[in-house]
Amino acid sequence: MVHEKSAERLELNKILAKAAEFAVLEESKRAVCALRPVTNLGEAKRLLAMTEEAERLLFRLGAGRIEYFPPLGDLLERAQKGATLSCAELTQANLLLRSARVCYRSVQSFADGEIERMKALSFRLVFNERLETEIGEKIIGENELSDRASDRLFTIRREIRLLNERIRARLSEYLAGEEKQFLQDSIVTVRGDRYVLPVKAEYKRSIKGFVHDRSATGATVFIEPEQVLEMNNELRSLKLDEKEEEERILAELSHALGGMRESLESDIAVLSEIDGYYARAEYGYKLGCIKPALNDKGMIEIVKGKHPLLAKETAVPVSLELGERYRFLFISGANTGGKTVTLKMCGLFCLMAACGLFVPAAEGTRLAVFDGVFCDVGDSQSIEENLSTFSSHIGALKDIVQHAGKNSLVLIDEPGGGTDPEEGQALARAVIVTLMEAGCRGIVTTHYSALKEFAYQTEGIENASMEFDSGTLRPLYRMKIGTPGSSNALAICSRLGFPEEIIECARGYLSEGGRAFERTVRAAEESRIAAEEVRREAERLKGEWNDRLISLEKEEKQFAEQKEKFLRASKAEAKRIVNERTARAEEILEEIEALFKKESLNESDLIRARTLKNRMADGGEAEEEERIRKAPVNPATLKAGDRVFVKSMGAEGTVLSLKREKDSVEVQCGALRVRSKLGDLFALSPPPALQKTKKRSKDEKVQVVKNLSPRPLPSLECNVIGLTVQEALPEAEAFIDGAVLSGLSEVRIVHGMGTGKLRAGIHEFLRKHPHVEGFRLGKYGEGESGVTVVTLK
């Protein structure tokens, strides 16, 4: 049970009014304003869950709001009883049909499992799309039916238009003929749904016909000529037919709508309920609210809460606990320090949650659902009821003591105020003892030192204080649980400009015990604030050093990874060089051994031996020079597949194609395709092991020569830019195989950005390659998405 006066003192009505502003329908606005907190935990959780689903629909899934339709009053009831609705009324009802259809499809279109309650609620909506379309097509204005509303109406209106044209054409003859002189104006007008001519009064007998009207001055009479009499009669008949057909169409639509009365009235209730949840969700979203956890154990934990009626940007967040370690919280401290705001915020949060509203606090906030919330806040002095401030507070306290129970939340601002302080604090203490015996939870604000001491001595009560900066004499609006606060009344008077001599005089009137207690409390509070500042600074420095330590650890890890990568690459390069030099040495040694096996050495053998010695000395560079003929290739004998040396690139390659007439050759040099002039190409000598030997006799032994020609240095990069996927894959495969044989651990494939097809093809190939451990796109400075870095097994 939440007393109306308590809810009003906590300003729940203002919160509901602000939330109602986000509703679309008038009925929803009234319903939100009329919300009352529930006292059942299950129902409160259901309301919050509905608001949560509404927020998910609106701000995560992008569902549309409820489409507006005006209040329909008794419109549906009259339609059900057989009344014919007007075009405007049918249009209003059609907005309801459309709103139900749009809401149903909007919510049901999402397959999200976290909106089951809203889906179940919207599933109750009933709509008739055929009737909605029919009304929309047949009614084109508040008082107008479309020509296409029925075939008969179309025919009648077409005949009316044709007859109007005939009548006007006939009357135009009067305007242009001899009768023109008898007319007051050269116009055709209408009187009583009949076409007439304005004739001068003195000539009314000059035109045969029927007089229908006369002007106010009597100077003009309106005559229906005999020649259009029958046509006007026919026009009148057609107008009656038109009205009759319109009435039939409206009656038919009204009857169809009346048959849906119960379903549509249910739709109004469902749409208003959904709109109410949407309004609560949007209110919470605008204020940055969260969904609190609920319990029925009387436990409250507010984390960085802000009173919703304070400016979001300037309000100082307050955290508090209640109901678990202690059942009552005494808040003391300076005036204007935020004690009453904190007390009201706690009660208001519980009421908001029980109405299905989120609260402006941080995650981790827990609130309780109470059977009753009782509040006595502010000055309730009433001249009309002859109540003083003290009398009004006593009446409120009496009501609280009589009705508050075990699962009640009691909020009392300055109990025992407005009378003698000694008697006031005694009364306040007695009231709190009674409430504790009843099992209540509550928050009390006080300036009484005796109550602060009572909180220290009594189990189940905790002191709290609103922080105050003694240096600037300004409240900090932060609450500290565990210690009471000094009222600092005289200090605040000084800040507000009160005469200093009066303040000093007041200090002299303070009792020694009171001054000592206030000094003790103030000193403790100042020490605690100073210690808190030191703690915050220490935490800030700790955070900075933790960030630096994490950064250093990250850099150290990166350095270790780079070092490991460098060592692996160095080992692989050293292994390659050793293998290459070993193979070269073995080849030279075999040739030297072949020379020594000869019985006699001639001069050419000596030259060959000297050459082999030089090759041993210079690492085989001379041999490479020997393999390159200094003479250019012969264009006449050059063909695809020949090995050549491209002088401009300093590299060997294979001829792919040649165009002699254009002096152009396409050569594959590793992963690159280049075009070169014939004059830039030189023929390569085949390695000794591949040179043709002269034919031997059958009795002559065949000498097997081991081909250990030096392998080229392994490349760390393969460039396939400009190739198609089909052309690039063989190049990539050969490159990866060579890298694996050379013991490399990481290589790069340059494919460029382009359309992404080449990159995708390369990545698909790498995923299936047995020697590829992983790959990634290049980072900044590595070529980014134009390069793929491959890690080999």
Side-chain angles (χ1 to χ4, degrees):
M1 172 182 66
V2 179
H3 281 196
E4 290 296 326
K5 286 188 177 180
S6 295
E8 184 178 346
R9 287 168 182 158
L10 293 174
E11 300 177 289
L12 177 64
N13 57 329
K14 294 182 180 180
I15 301 300
L16 295 177
K18 287 184 175 294
E21 293 175 0
F22 294 99
V24 174
L25 306 177
E26 296 299 326
E27 187 168 339
S28 306
K29 293 179 185 291
R30 291 192 295 271
V32 172
C33 287
L35 283 173
R36 290 296 173 264
V38 299
T39 57
N40 178 270
L41 177 62
E43 178 62 12
K45 286 185 174 181
R46 186 190 72 83
L47 291 175
L48 283 179
M50 294 296 287
T51 302
E52 183 180 33
E53 291 189 11
E55 182 187 51
R56 184 173 186 82
L57 278 167
L58 288 178
F59 304 109
R60 300 185 191 179
L61 301 179
R65 295 298 305 272
I66 299 297
E67 292 204 5
Y68 175 79
F69 59 88
L72 301 184
D74 63 346
L75 183 152
L76 296 174
E77 181 182 1
R78 290 190 289 110
Q80 186 186 39
K81 291 181 178 180
T84 299
L85 304 179
S86 66
C87 291
E89 290 174 328
L90 285 169
T91 300
Q92 292 175 359
N94 204 39
L95 291 176
L96 169 59
L97 286 171
R98 172 179 171 81
S99 183
R101 174 180 58 82
V102 171
C103 178
Y104 176 87
R105 290 184 175 167
S106 174
V107 176
Q108 296 295 328
S109 64
F110 298 108
D112 197 306
E114 297 184 17
I115 55 170
E116 292 302 324
R117 291 181 177 85
M118 290 294 284
K119 293 181 78 170
L121 181 58
S122 65
F123 193 75
R124 291 161 47 191
L125 291 170
V126 178
F127 57 92
N128 187 331
E129 191 170 2
R130 184 195 60 78
L131 179 59
E132 177 194 340
T133 303
E134 191 174 358
I135 294 176
E137 290 177 350
K138 290 183 177 182
I139 299 176
I140 59 176
E142 289 191 358
N143 297 296
E144 184 180 2
L145 285 173
S146 169
D147 291 350
R148 302 286 181 178
S150 72
D151 293 341
R152 184 167 183 266
L153 184 61
F154 178 81
T155 303
I156 292 171
R157 287 184 175 178
R158 183 180 61 182
E159 292 178 359
I160 289 174
R161 285 193 294 271
L162 294 174
L163 189 55
N164 277 325
E165 292 174 3
R166 286 170 53 201
I167 294 173
R168 286 183 173 277
R170 183 67 190 87
L171 292 178
S172 296
E173 296 176 3
Y174 285 88
L175 301 180
E178 296 179 358
E179 294 87 352
K180 180 181 180 180
Q181 58 183 323
F182 307 133
L183 303 180
Q184 192 71 262
D185 295 301
S186 298
I187 59 172
V188 175
T189 186
V190 177
R191 285 293 186 273
D193 292 335
R194 301 179 77 88
Y195 285 98
V196 296
L197 293 174
V199 181
K200 296 176 183 178
E202 59 269 26
Y203 297 117
K204 63 181 179 180
R205 300 186 185 278
S206 301
I207 296 180
K208 293 181 179 182
F210 296 91
V211 177
H212 284 274
D213 201 359
R214 182 171 61 184
S215 66
T217 61
T220 305
V221 293
F222 298 93
I223 299 175
E224 177 185 7
E226 290 180 346
Q227 295 184 8
V228 297
L229 177 62
E230 289 300 324
M231 287 189 288
N232 269 334
N233 289 340
E234 184 180 355
L235 180 61
R236 178 64 177 169
S237 177
L238 288 173
K239 289 284 187 181
L240 293 174
D241 292 343
E242 179 188 26
K243 185 176 181 180
E244 179 183 343
E245 180 62 14
E246 289 177 347
E247 288 291 335
R248 186 194 66 78
I249 295 171
L250 293 177
E252 187 179 89
L253 295 175
S254 300
H255 177 74
L257 202 62
M260 295 183 64
R261 175 191 172 184
E262 294 182 0
S263 297
L264 293 179
E265 287 180 344
S266 174
D267 283 355
I268 293 174
V270 171
L271 291 171
S272 297
E273 185 176 355
I274 294 175
D275 191 31
Y277 293 128
Y278 280 168
R280 280 174 272 195
E282 189 164 356
Y283 172 77
Y285 182 81
K286 296 292 184 184
L287 264 67
C289 299
I290 57 99
K291 176 188 175 184
L294 297 183
N295 66 86
D296 57 359
K297 307 298 183 184
M299 295 182 293
I300 297 174
E301 181 181 3
I302 297 176
V303 182
K304 296 181 179 179
K306 295 182 180 180
H307 196 290
L309 294 180
L310 296 179
K312 177 182 176 182
E313 297 76 16
T314 57
V316 179
V318 176
S319 300
L320 65 85
E321 297 179 26
L322 179 69
E324 190 168 7
R325 293 186 293 113
Y326 46 85
R327 291 190 289 121
F328 265 82
L329 186 67
F330 284 7
I331 305 178
S332 54
N335 290 309
T336 72
K339 300 189 300 298
T340 304
V341 171
T342 301
L343 175 143
K344 293 174 70 174
M345 179 191 73
C346 181
L348 182 59
F349 275 15
C350 292
L351 297 183
M352 288 174 65
C355 289
L357 286 162
F358 290 179
V359 295
E363 293 293 341
T365 296
R366 297 184 298 161
L367 299 173
V369 178
F370 293 99
D371 293 339
V373 175
F374 301 89
C375 179
D376 178 30
V377 178
D379 185 359
S380 302
Q381 186 178 31
S382 173
I383 295 175
E384 292 83 358
E385 298 180 12
N386 196 26
L387 292 175
S388 66
T389 299
F390 180 73
S391 299
S392 65
H393 280 301
I394 290 302
L397 289 175
K398 174 186 174 184
D399 188 55
I400 291 173
V401 170
Q402 288 178 342
H403 296 97
K406 183 178 181 180
N407 192 30
S408 296
L409 176 66
V410 177
L411 308 167
I412 306 176
D413 187 28
E414 301 291 349
T419 188
D420 177 71
E422 185 173 353
E423 292 184 344
Q425 63 87 15
L427 176 64
R429 179 170 175 173
V431 169
I432 293 167
V433 168
T434 303
L435 293 173
M436 290 191 68
E437 290 175 350
C440 299
R441 270 85 172 168
I443 299 178
V444 176
T445 66
T446 185
H447 289 287
Y448 290 141
S449 298
L451 287 183
K452 302 174 190 177
E453 295 175 4
F454 173 61
Y456 274 128
Q457 301 166 2
T458 307
E459 185 179 355
I461 303 179
E462 183 64 88
N463 271 311
S465 61
M466 302 305 296
E467 295 184 0
F468 184 82
D469 190 337
S470 58
T472 61
L473 302 180
R474 293 182 180 276
L476 300 176
Y477 305 106
R478 297 195 301 261
M479 189 170 73
K480 185 67 177 179
I481 295 177
T483 57
S486 174
S487 296
N488 292 294
L490 298 181
I492 292 175
C493 289
S494 178
R495 178 174 68 85
L496 296 176
F498 205 76
E500 200 61 36
E501 59 274 14
I502 299 178
I503 296 174
E504 288 300 322
C505 182
R507 287 196 178 97
Y509 292 139
L510 290 173
S511 66
E512 185 58 34
R515 285 199 299 269
F517 182 80
E518 287 297 320
R519 283 196 300 269
T520 301
V521 171
R522 189 178 302 111
E525 186 174 0
E526 291 175 358
S527 299
R528 181 187 57 76
I529 292 175
E532 187 70 19
E533 290 295 330
V534 172
R535 184 186 64 80
R536 281 198 290 266
E537 179 65 16
E539 287 182 352
R540 185 186 65 80
L541 293 174
K542 180 181 177 182
E544 289 183 1
W545 281 108
N546 283 338
D547 292 341
R548 291 184 182 181
L549 182 60
I550 292 172
S551 178
L552 288 173
E553 289 177 350
K554 186 177 180 181
E555 290 180 4
E556 183 179 5
K557 183 179 179 181
Q558 291 176 347
F559 176 77
E561 290 176 353
Q562 292 176 355
K563 178 181 177 182
E564 181 66 23
K565 186 186 297 184
F566 176 76
L567 289 175
R568 287 199 303 267
S570 299
K571 289 178 180 178
E573 181 66 12
K575 181 179 178 182
R576 184 194 63 78
I577 293 173
V578 170
N579 290 339
E580 181 181 292
R581 295 299 174 88
T582 301
R584 188 175 300 156
E586 288 178 356
E587 181 184 352
I588 294 173
L589 288 173
E590 285 184 359
E591 292 190 31
I592 292 174
E593 288 176 0
L595 289 175
F596 286 156
K597 288 179 181 179
K598 290 185 177 183
E599 296 179 357
S600 61
L601 298 175
N602 54 31
E603 187 176 352
S604 63
D605 292 332
L606 293 175
I607 295 173
R608 179 60 178 165
R610 191 178 300 111
T611 301
L612 292 173
K613 178 185 176 183
N614 292 335
R615 286 178 57 190
M616 288 285 289
D618 62 12
E621 293 177 3
E623 179 189 354
E624 293 299 321
E625 287 295 327
E626 280 185 2
R627 294 189 59 210
I628 302 175
R629 294 187 185 274
K630 298 305 180 181
V633 297
N634 185 355
T637 60
L638 186 65
K639 62 183 181 301
D642 286 353
R643 295 286 293 172
V644 294
F645 179 81
V646 184
K647 182 179 180 182
S648 59
M649 293 188 65
E652 297 179 13
T654 304
V655 176
L656 297 177
S657 63
L658 66 159
K659 297 180 179 179
R660 293 183 178 87
E661 65 279 4
K662 293 185 178 181
D663 191 30
S664 175
V665 182
E666 186 177 18
V667 183
Q668 181 77 43
C669 294
L672 297 178
R673 289 186 176 190
V674 296
R675 287 194 175 276
S676 179
K677 299 292 184 180
L678 286 168
D680 194 38
L681 303 182
F682 291 82
L684 286 177
S685 300
L690 297 180
Q691 291 180 357
K692 294 183 179 180
T693 58
K694 61 182 179 179
K695 293 183 179 180
R696 303 174 184 270
S697 62
K698 293 181 179 180
D699 298 331
E700 190 175 0
K701 293 182 179 180
V702 177
Q703 182 181 4
V704 179
V705 179
K706 189 176 182 181
N707 179 19
L708 291 174
S709 59
R711 291 176 292 173
L713 294 175
S715 175
L716 298 177
E717 182 178 288
C718 175
N719 190 325
V720 294
I721 294 177
L723 303 182
T724 64
V725 176
Q726 291 76 11
E727 295 171 341
L729 292 183
E731 295 290 336
E733 184 175 11
F735 172 66
I736 294 295
D737 292 342
V740 171
L741 291 175
S742 299
L744 300 181
S745 61
E746 186 175 275
V747 293
R748 305 194 320 158
I749 298 178
V750 182
H751 45 65
M753 299 180 185
T755 62
K757 291 183 178 179
L758 183 56
R759 179 177 62 242
I762 293 292
H763 287 184
E764 185 63 26
F765 159 75
L766 293 175
R767 287 190 188 95
K768 300 177 180 178
H769 199 286
H771 295 295
V772 173
E773 183 175 343
F775 60 89
R776 60 174 175 83
L777 290 176
K779 300 178 182 177
Y780 179 77
E782 293 182 331
E784 300 178 330
S785 60
V787 171
T788 295
V789 179
V790 185
T791 303
L792 301 175
K793 294 181 180 178

